[in-house]
Amino acid sequence: MNRSRTARTLATAAMVSLLPLLAACGNGAGTGVESHSSDGGKTVAGSPGQLGVPADANADLKKQYLLENAIAACMKKQGFAYTPVAPEDPAASWATDGADYALTKKYRQKYGFGTYAGIVYPNDPGASGRTAAQQDSDRTPNADYEDTLTPEQKTAYDKALGAPPDPKSGEKNWTGCQGEADRKVYGSTSAQERSDAAANRNRANAQALNGDPELVALAQSYASCLKRDGISVTTTQPTGIGEMVKLQALGSAPAGAGGIPVADEDGNTRKSLSKEEALPLLTKDIELAMRDLECGKEFRAAYFPKFLKAPASGGGAG
């Protein structure tokens, strides 16, 4: 678990040129029959070994599906098995991080911010705060397939799959099947150019969110509520305040909590928390997380519809 959700950007537009990095972690193919998306919407049936594209997906998400299918088709021609990755709808990934108040409340009532939940509930997949799709991506058919390859075959597989753009060498596109699929889905504009354009959109979106009068006012009310509860406020920016309390809690947590390494930078092992030690800390974490959720309820209700419409990296309000 990263110290900041900002490393896990929602901004689909910024990630479309980088999604093939996830290719080796594919998560299951389509069945060739009509299926249903998580929100009940029907998908467009795919052929065997291909993903069905959700009919209700936005343009960026549909392209991600097409990209994965194109990579799979190319790898098959190269003599390798490749299971296309079903991309997660970005909006769904934020459901328990503030976008859906009811789901976030349910999560926090048991796990708090998730800082100590993994220690208290070591066998509970929900304690990680990850969605089912994210949990499934930890171990996937492509990873299993790669494990069956000899070192020589793995080298050939990696070459066939391809590498990302390399600014140092002047290469602006993916190589291998990822490059072929990228050109097929996105056309002649290079992956590097699209990535740069997406980064510019991210910055513009963040500036718009932070300059939105409604969000600025609600963020100030959110901050005032936190202060009344004795909670430190280090930012009132709309793109930062939603994660502020969570990051502060994680920042003060001991080794072993919230994914914090039990070894320091020099490799020295640090004592991690036991379940018994973590339990009272989890209780406090739950109390803090719930106070933060209630203080930010009105802010998040206004923030997320705007954020999901024009996402910005590092702009979560979980």
Side-chain angles (χ1 to χ4, degrees):
M1 172 178 167
N2 292 326
R3 285 182 174 271
S4 173
R5 177 67 182 273
T6 59
R8 180 162 57 96
T9 174
L10 171 73
T12 303
M15 293 300 292
V16 290
S17 64
L18 301 179
L19 278 170
L21 280 172
L22 304 176
C25 301
N27 184 31
T31 60
V33 298
E34 184 178 83
S35 60
H36 294 79
S37 59
S38 60
D39 61 358
K42 291 184 177 180
T43 66
V44 178
S47 59
Q50 298 274 285
L51 296 168
V53 182
D56 57 353
N58 62 33
D60 285 332
L61 194 58
K62 285 181 178 179
K63 285 184 178 181
Q64 293 173 37
Y65 274 91
L66 295 175
L67 182 71
E68 283 298 312
N69 285 341
I71 293 173
C74 176
M75 290 295 282
K76 184 177 181 180
K77 292 180 182 178
Q78 298 293 323
F80 294 103
Y82 178 86
T83 304
V85 181
E88 184 179 15
D89 185 341
S93 73
W94 288 88
T96 57
D97 272 305
D100 187 313
Y101 170 79
L103 289 179
T104 303
K105 181 176 182 179
K106 182 178 180 180
Y107 176 85
R108 292 192 180 188
Q109 284 175 328
K110 182 176 181 180
Y111 305 119
F113 287 127
T115 309
Y116 305 98
I119 300 174
V120 177
Y121 306 110
N123 300 316
D124 184 346
S128 67
R130 292 163 59 80
T131 65
Q134 291 165 339
Q135 292 163 18
D136 288 344
S137 70
D138 288 339
R139 189 64 192 175
T140 64
N142 285 322
D144 291 339
Y145 172 71
E146 290 185 53
D147 285 347
T148 69
L149 303 176
T150 65
E152 292 76 14
Q153 290 172 328
K154 180 63 167 56
T155 298
Y157 176 92
D158 290 340
K159 182 178 180 180
L161 187 59
D166 183 5
K168 292 183 179 180
S169 68
E171 178 57 61
K172 296 183 177 181
N173 288 296
W174 289 83
T175 61
C177 283
Q178 293 178 113
E180 180 179 315
D182 191 88
R183 290 187 293 274
K184 181 178 181 180
V185 174
Y186 293 105
S188 60
T189 304
S190 74
Q192 186 62 54
E193 290 172 320
R194 292 199 319 278
S195 179
D196 292 341
N200 290 332
R201 286 196 300 273
N202 270 345
R203 285 191 289 270
N205 289 345
Q207 289 175 354
L209 290 167
N210 287 328
D212 185 292
E214 178 190 22
L215 297 181
V216 170
L218 288 171
Q220 291 290 344
S221 297
Y222 182 2
S224 295
C225 178
L226 292 174
K227 290 177 181 178
R228 286 195 298 270
D229 284 343
I231 299 172
S232 175
V233 174
T234 58
T235 180
T236 57
Q237 278 197 327
T239 56
I241 192 169
E243 288 192 303
M244 178 191 65
V245 179
K246 177 170 61 177
L247 294 180
Q248 288 178 172
L250 182 58
S252 62
I260 298 174
V262 294
D264 60 26
E265 295 180 354
D266 296 325
N268 300 314
T269 301
R270 298 176 294 187
K271 183 175 182 277
S272 60
L273 295 174
S274 67
K275 180 177 180 179
E276 291 70 23
E277 291 171 326
L279 188 56
L281 295 176
L282 172 60
T283 299
K284 292 181 179 179
D285 197 49
I286 291 172
E287 293 174 353
L288 181 62
M290 292 303 297
R291 295 203 321 258
D292 172 66
L293 181 65
E294 295 306 318
C295 280
K297 183 177 181 180
E298 291 186 12
F299 168 78
R300 291 186 175 93
Y303 178 86
F304 271 106
K306 296 179 181 182
F307 174 56
L308 295 173
K309 184 177 181 180
S313 297

